[in-house]
Amino acid sequence: MADDQNSPVLSAEYLAGLFDGEGSIYPHKPGHYWRAVVAVAMADEDLMRSIHTQFGGSVGEQKRPAGYKRIWRWISYSDNARSFLVAVLPYLRVKARQAEAALELIELSRGTNRWNRPSPRIIDARASKAMLIRWL
C-alpha cells in the first residue's frame, strides 16, 4: 500500500487520459436528490491513492471473485468531484460532455441540504442533468 503523503502529483493531461479509459461518471440518488459521482477503478492501488491525495474522495478495494486480480477504486462526490472534473475537462476526449453535465449537476446541488431544501425547479433541473449523464 502506498503512503498517501508521498504520492506523486499527477498532471491533468495524464489524469484525463486515465479517466477517459478507466473512469466513470454517473448519477446517484442516495435520498431525495440526485448527485454526480466520479470514479476510477484499476489494479494499481498506488495510482488510486495518488488521485485521492490530490483530490480527496475515498479509495477502497472492490469485491471480486476468488482468483481475480485485486481492483482498487477511487470515488468522489460533490466538491472533490468538481475539482477533479475542472482539472481534467480541458483534456477529456471521450467523457467531456458527461463531465460538463456532471459539473452542472454539482453546481445545482451547491448550498442545499436537508435543512435548506431546493425549489421544485432545481429538483427538476437536477433530475434532467442526472438523466443526461446516464444517456451520454
Side-chain angles (χ1 to χ4, degrees):
M1 180 168 76
D3 177 4
D4 282 357
Q5 301 306 315
N6 295 322
S7 296
V9 174
L10 304 169
S11 72
E13 295 90 341
Y14 175 82
L15 288 169
L18 178 72
F19 188 66
D20 265 341
E22 303 293 335
S24 58
I25 302 170
Y26 55 94
H28 178 60
K29 191 175 181 185
H32 299 289
Y33 309 116
W34 289 101
R35 65 183 185 175
V37 180
V38 176
V40 178
M42 61 188 319
D44 189 336
E45 179 186 4
D46 291 342
L47 187 53
M48 296 299 94
R49 296 211 179 271
S50 292
I51 296 171
H52 171 260
T53 298
Q54 277 182 253
F55 295 100
S58 61
V59 174
E61 186 177 359
Q62 284 188 219
K63 300 278 187 218
R64 305 267 298 180
Y68 282 78
K69 187 183 262 189
R70 294 171 76 181
I71 297 294
W72 298 91
R73 183 175 190 220
W74 169 76
I75 188 167
S76 184
Y77 309 88
S78 305
D79 286 336
N80 292 334
R82 182 184 182 286
S83 64
F84 177 81
L85 291 172
V86 165
V88 300
L89 183 59
Y91 310 103
L92 289 175
R93 300 280 188 264
V94 177
K95 293 182 172 68
R97 290 181 58 207
Q98 257 190 321
E100 289 168 350
L103 285 168
E104 291 169 9
L105 177 56
I106 291 166
E107 199 56 41
L108 286 168
S109 300
R110 295 188 102 168
T112 60
N113 55 46
R114 65 181 175 185
W115 298 282
N116 183 19
R117 295 180 185 249
S119 69
R121 183 185 65 77
I122 296 293
I123 292 170
D124 289 345
R126 284 184 188 174
S128 294
K129 290 298 173 193
M131 293 308 108
L132 178 61
I133 292 167
R134 252 191 209 152
W135 182 77
L136 292 170

mmCIF file of all heavy atoms in Angstrom, residues 33 108 112 116-126:
data_model
loop_
_atom_site.group_PDB
_atom_site.id
_atom_site.type_symbol
_atom_site.label_atom_id
_atom_site.label_comp_id
_atom_site.label_asym_id
_atom_site.label_seq_id
_atom_site.Cartn_x
_atom_site.Cartn_y
_atom_site.Cartn_z
ATOM 1 N N TYR A 33 -32.503 13.491 -3.592
ATOM 2 C CA TYR A 33 -31.895 14.351 -4.601
ATOM 3 C C TYR A 33 -30.751 13.657 -5.331
ATOM 4 O O TYR A 33 -30.007 12.881 -4.742
ATOM 5 C CB TYR A 33 -31.361 15.635 -3.957
ATOM 6 C CG TYR A 33 -32.390 16.323 -3.097
ATOM 7 C CD1 TYR A 33 -32.197 16.454 -1.733
ATOM 8 C CD2 TYR A 33 -33.557 16.807 -3.652
ATOM 9 C CE1 TYR A 33 -33.150 17.072 -0.942
ATOM 10 C CE2 TYR A 33 -34.519 17.424 -2.871
ATOM 11 C CZ TYR A 33 -34.312 17.555 -1.526
ATOM 12 O OH TYR A 33 -35.257 18.155 -0.744
ATOM 13 N N LEU A 108 -25.836 22.736 -9.384
ATOM 14 C CA LEU A 108 -27.241 22.792 -8.947
ATOM 15 C C LEU A 108 -27.409 22.290 -7.514
ATOM 16 O O LEU A 108 -28.403 22.605 -6.851
ATOM 17 C CB LEU A 108 -28.118 21.953 -9.881
ATOM 18 C CG LEU A 108 -28.394 22.534 -11.256
ATOM 19 C CD1 LEU A 108 -29.013 21.480 -12.163
ATOM 20 C CD2 LEU A 108 -29.308 23.752 -11.142
ATOM 21 N N THR A 112 -27.426 23.400 -0.881
ATOM 22 C CA THR A 112 -28.652 22.753 -0.416
ATOM 23 C C THR A 112 -28.297 21.554 0.459
ATOM 24 O O THR A 112 -27.260 20.931 0.282
ATOM 25 C CB THR A 112 -29.537 22.285 -1.589
ATOM 26 O OG1 THR A 112 -28.818 21.345 -2.380
ATOM 27 C CG2 THR A 112 -29.971 23.446 -2.445
ATOM 28 N N ASN A 116 -31.899 23.031 4.096
ATOM 29 C CA ASN A 116 -32.038 24.083 3.090
ATOM 30 C C ASN A 116 -32.428 23.423 1.772
ATOM 31 O O ASN A 116 -31.608 23.218 0.898
ATOM 32 C CB ASN A 116 -30.712 24.843 2.955
ATOM 33 C CG ASN A 116 -30.810 25.986 1.993
ATOM 34 O OD1 ASN A 116 -31.888 26.450 1.673
ATOM 35 N ND2 ASN A 116 -29.674 26.436 1.503
ATOM 36 N N ARG A 117 -33.682 23.071 1.658
ATOM 37 C CA ARG A 117 -34.155 22.283 0.517
ATOM 38 C C ARG A 117 -34.251 23.133 -0.745
ATOM 39 O O ARG A 117 -34.608 24.302 -0.699
ATOM 40 C CB ARG A 117 -35.499 21.665 0.832
ATOM 41 C CG ARG A 117 -35.375 20.659 1.950
ATOM 42 C CD ARG A 117 -36.686 20.022 2.285
ATOM 43 N NE ARG A 117 -36.491 19.170 3.435
ATOM 44 C CZ ARG A 117 -36.553 17.855 3.380
ATOM 45 N NH1 ARG A 117 -36.811 17.255 2.256
ATOM 46 N NH2 ARG A 117 -36.354 17.143 4.456
ATOM 47 N N PRO A 118 -33.952 22.505 -1.883
ATOM 48 C CA PRO A 118 -34.034 23.230 -3.155
ATOM 49 C C PRO A 118 -35.486 23.401 -3.608
ATOM 50 O O PRO A 118 -36.385 22.669 -3.165
ATOM 51 C CB PRO A 118 -33.278 22.315 -4.125
ATOM 52 C CG PRO A 118 -33.417 20.957 -3.538
ATOM 53 C CD PRO A 118 -33.445 21.155 -2.050
ATOM 54 N N SER A 119 -35.683 24.338 -4.506
ATOM 55 C CA SER A 119 -37.011 24.573 -5.060
ATOM 56 C C SER A 119 -37.393 23.429 -6.002
ATOM 57 O O SER A 119 -36.519 22.696 -6.480
ATOM 58 C CB SER A 119 -37.009 25.888 -5.837
ATOM 59 O OG SER A 119 -36.223 25.740 -7.009
ATOM 60 N N PRO A 120 -38.668 23.278 -6.304
ATOM 61 C CA PRO A 120 -39.084 22.256 -7.264
ATOM 62 C C PRO A 120 -38.402 22.421 -8.634
ATOM 63 O O PRO A 120 -38.077 21.436 -9.292
ATOM 64 C CB PRO A 120 -40.599 22.453 -7.376
ATOM 65 C CG PRO A 120 -40.984 23.040 -6.051
ATOM 66 C CD PRO A 120 -39.823 23.921 -5.676
ATOM 67 N N ARG A 121 -38.158 23.663 -9.029
ATOM 68 C CA ARG A 121 -37.466 23.913 -10.296
ATOM 69 C C ARG A 121 -36.054 23.341 -10.271
ATOM 70 O O ARG A 121 -35.611 22.701 -11.230
ATOM 71 C CB ARG A 121 -37.416 25.421 -10.585
ATOM 72 C CG ARG A 121 -36.782 25.772 -11.915
ATOM 73 C CD ARG A 121 -36.637 27.280 -12.104
ATOM 74 N NE ARG A 121 -35.736 27.904 -11.165
ATOM 75 C CZ ARG A 121 -34.399 27.840 -11.239
ATOM 76 N NH1 ARG A 121 -33.818 27.168 -12.183
ATOM 77 N NH2 ARG A 121 -33.655 28.460 -10.337
ATOM 78 N N ILE A 122 -35.341 23.515 -9.170
ATOM 79 C CA ILE A 122 -33.982 22.979 -9.031
ATOM 80 C C ILE A 122 -34.016 21.453 -8.973
ATOM 81 O O ILE A 122 -33.177 20.781 -9.577
ATOM 82 C CB ILE A 122 -33.284 23.561 -7.775
ATOM 83 C CG1 ILE A 122 -33.099 25.064 -7.912
ATOM 84 C CG2 ILE A 122 -31.957 22.867 -7.513
ATOM 85 C CD1 ILE A 122 -32.136 25.493 -8.997
ATOM 86 N N ILE A 123 -34.995 20.897 -8.273
ATOM 87 C CA ILE A 123 -35.122 19.441 -8.200
ATOM 88 C C ILE A 123 -35.322 18.861 -9.600
ATOM 89 O O ILE A 123 -34.691 17.872 -9.978
ATOM 90 C CB ILE A 123 -36.268 19.036 -7.249
ATOM 91 C CG1 ILE A 123 -35.899 19.405 -5.809
ATOM 92 C CG2 ILE A 123 -36.582 17.547 -7.364
ATOM 93 C CD1 ILE A 123 -37.035 19.284 -4.820
ATOM 94 N N ASP A 124 -36.180 19.487 -10.392
ATOM 95 C CA ASP A 124 -36.417 19.026 -11.768
ATOM 96 C C ASP A 124 -35.168 19.180 -12.627
ATOM 97 O O ASP A 124 -34.851 18.300 -13.440
ATOM 98 C CB ASP A 124 -37.572 19.802 -12.404
ATOM 99 C CG ASP A 124 -38.924 19.438 -11.813
ATOM 100 O OD1 ASP A 124 -39.023 18.393 -11.123
ATOM 101 O OD2 ASP A 124 -39.887 20.197 -12.040
ATOM 102 N N ALA A 125 -34.446 20.286 -12.451
ATOM 103 C CA ALA A 125 -33.215 20.502 -13.222
ATOM 104 C C ALA A 125 -32.171 19.443 -12.869
ATOM 105 O O ALA A 125 -31.462 18.937 -13.751
ATOM 106 C CB ALA A 125 -32.676 21.906 -12.961
ATOM 107 N N ARG A 126 -32.070 19.096 -11.593
ATOM 108 C CA ARG A 126 -31.133 18.041 -11.171
ATOM 109 C C ARG A 126 -31.489 16.705 -11.817
ATOM 110 O O ARG A 126 -30.616 15.983 -12.296
ATOM 111 C CB ARG A 126 -31.165 17.873 -9.654
ATOM 112 C CG ARG A 126 -30.445 18.924 -8.886
ATOM 113 C CD ARG A 126 -30.496 18.536 -7.429
ATOM 114 N NE ARG A 126 -29.997 19.576 -6.576
ATOM 115 C CZ ARG A 126 -30.042 19.517 -5.255
ATOM 116 N NH1 ARG A 126 -30.551 18.462 -4.648
ATOM 117 N NH2 ARG A 126 -29.562 20.494 -4.527
#
